[in-house]
Amino acid sequence: MLKFTENDVTPEHIFFQRRKIIQAMGIMGAASLLPNMASAAEEDLRKALAFTKDDNPQSLALTPENKVMGYNNFYEFGVPKESPAKYASAMKTEPWTLRIEGEVEKPMTFDVHQLMHKLPLEERIYRFRCVEAWSMVIPWVGFELNKLLALVQPTSNAKYVEFETLYDPETMPGQKNSFFGGGLIYPYVEGLTIEEAMNPLTLLSVGLYGKTLAPQNGAPIRLVVPWKYGFKNIKSIVKITLTSKQPRTTWNHAAPQEYGFYANVNPNVDHPRWSQASERVIGSGGLFNVKRQPTLMFNGYEEQVAHLYKDLDLRKNF
Ligand SMILES: Nc1nc2c(c(=O)[nH]1)N[C@H]1C(S)=C(S)[C@@H](COP(=O)(O)O)O[C@H]1N2
Ligand SMILES: [Mo]
């Protein structure tokens, strides 16, 4: 997103086709730089979860699981869309603790695997819209963030919620090598207002397609805010801090004129370098006819979230 990379302009069908050709030729590409990290990547070590099903009342067409797990942004594991699936299995996701502190009555440290059994899990089938103008529909499994925040009891000074990804350059090559990591500053950080964090749509996800998250999707726990651009959906979270001031966020810091704090999906406010009026539907069509569809205001969640922004100029606060 920061640099105008090939990924910004490669349509998915070309991407998947090219990957097949590269695989067929037996060329490892960048993997040869990291010989011991690629081998376990194809194995599915995900565990089945117990959860309440989403009836999918709008009959959203799900993005195929292999696309959800094979076309990713997780710059800690490289910028190309296929890199996270290759390298993220090096990340140690067990044990995993999640620390919650700051403007709360009861700062706590949770063992995430215990947490997954403590809070009832539900499936949420949500539209997902990346700022790069592609979209998916993903059956997440998780719990509402507000349920977790209730346990730590935010104080009246809590106006924002800050999230932080694991920092471990030994297993996250993008944190060690700035070129590999897309030039971002790590750890990756994100933030929401307290009202956004408390909204019932806002999910902490621990799974998708009925199983625990694959590392490339942000195992063991990541944020899902379906009315915002994908980069707000921070992965592999180790710390949540409630604050009185608006936190710094990774993409806003990298390119403030292109990526705002709010990052609400909005077809009427274009990215400086491309239109946001429509989107490419990942996994749709055949090789040469990937479907484009109009982008919806707040990604289709206007009814649930528009009230949060009634006093805000969405053009200025993009
Ligand atoms: N830590 C971290 N979280 C991240 C990113 C990242 O590079 N690092 N990329 C973001 C972007 S740009 C998108 S579109 C989504 C992609 O999530 P997915 O790969 O599970 O579809 O993750 C978001 N969360
Ligand atoms: Mo994204």
Side-chain angles (χ1 to χ4, degrees):
M1 294 191 294
L2 176 60
K3 300 184 187 90
F4 197 68
T5 69
E6 190 193 23
N7 295 292
D8 292 321
V9 295
T10 305
E12 285 65 41
H13 61 270
I14 304 283
F15 167 84
F16 287 111
Q17 184 187 41
R18 187 183 301 158
R19 190 175 62 166
K20 278 203 195 92
I21 293 167
I22 290 168
Q23 282 170 343
M25 284 161 50
I27 294 169
M28 293 298 284
S32 58
L33 301 171
L34 300 143
N36 52 353
M37 295 177 80
S39 53
E42 300 298 326
E43 250 178 277
D44 188 356
L45 303 168
R46 298 156 66 216
K47 297 192 180 75
L49 291 168
F51 55 90
T52 315
K53 261 189 89 62
D54 184 335
D55 294 333
N56 195 10
Q58 298 190 53
S59 304
L60 298 174
L62 303 193
T63 303
E65 192 170 1
N66 67 329
K67 300 287 197 292
V68 177
M69 291 175 57
Y71 186 88
N72 300 101
N73 278 330
F74 200 167
Y75 278 23
E76 285 86 336
F77 299 102
V79 175
K81 294 288 185 281
E82 70 274 28
S83 278
K86 275 192 208 153
Y87 303 130
S89 59
M91 179 170 56
K92 268 219 226 90
T93 56
E94 260 175 274
W96 192 280
T97 53
L98 172 60
R99 172 76 186 161
I100 311 189
E101 60 184 32
E103 290 292 347
V104 295
E105 300 292 348
K106 296 183 172 164
M108 288 191 199
T109 303
F110 296 93
D111 176 296
V112 164
H113 296 90
Q114 280 171 8
L115 194 64
M116 279 163 61
H117 297 290
K118 183 170 167 167
L119 292 174
L121 300 180
E122 34 179 321
E123 181 179 45
R124 293 283 177 95
I125 297 173
Y126 282 156
R127 296 181 201 85
F128 184 93
R129 172 62 156 78
C130 176
V131 75
E132 298 163 333
W134 53 263
S135 71
M136 297 189 186
V137 172
I138 304 178
W140 302 106
V141 178
F143 50 83
E144 291 177 11
L145 174 60
N146 65 58
K147 301 227 160 97
L148 186 61
L149 293 181
L151 299 177
V152 297
Q153 301 174 14
T155 71
S156 57
N157 294 327
K159 303 279 185 271
Y160 295 91
V161 185
E162 182 186 41
F163 304 84
E164 191 177 307
T165 294
L166 177 69
Y167 184 74
D168 184 16
E170 291 313 309
T171 59
M172 300 171 121
Q175 294 179 338
K176 203 167 198 170
N177 179 311
S178 174
F179 180 77
F180 195 88
L184 296 180
I185 293 169
Y186 295 104
Y188 195 101
V189 285
E190 255 307 334
L192 298 172
T193 68
I194 189 76
E195 292 80 15
E196 293 172 336
M198 297 304 282
N199 188 281
L201 287 181
T202 303
L203 212 66
L204 278 176
S205 167
V206 297
L208 58 82
Y209 268 104
K211 295 193 246 174
T212 52
L213 291 173
Q216 60 265 36
N217 294 110
I221 190 160
R222 59 92 58 86
L223 184 67
V224 177
V225 198
W227 71 94
K228 290 181 179 286
Y229 289 121
F231 65 87
K232 300 295 291 182
N233 295 237
I234 182 172
K235 297 178 168 180
S236 304
I237 302 167
V238 291
K239 195 164 104 179
I240 298 178
T241 312
L242 286 85
T243 63
S244 58
K245 293 201 182 73
Q246 185 174 303
R248 180 176 72 83
T249 60
T250 292
W251 278 103
N252 180 246
H253 189 77
Q257 68 291 354
E258 301 194 356
Y259 309 106
F261 174 79
Y262 286 94
N264 294 317
V265 176
N266 189 336
N268 309 315
V269 177
D270 287 339
H271 185 279
R273 291 184 278 131
W274 58 83
S275 166
Q276 294 292 27
S278 69
E279 61 203 34
R280 289 165 285 135
V281 181
I282 301 294
S284 69
L287 277 183
F288 299 104
N289 56 344
V290 171
K291 197 173 116 190
R292 266 203 109 90
Q293 68 187 17
T295 290
L296 303 173
M297 188 63 201
F298 294 116
N299 206 25
Y301 302 97
E302 191 165 14
E303 217 173 287
Q304 293 97 318
V305 301
H307 69 275
L308 297 171
Y309 311 105
K310 60 181 188 319
D311 300 323
L312 209 65
D313 180 341
L314 295 175
R315 222 159 256 290
K316 281 194 192 123
N317 299 280
F318 55 87

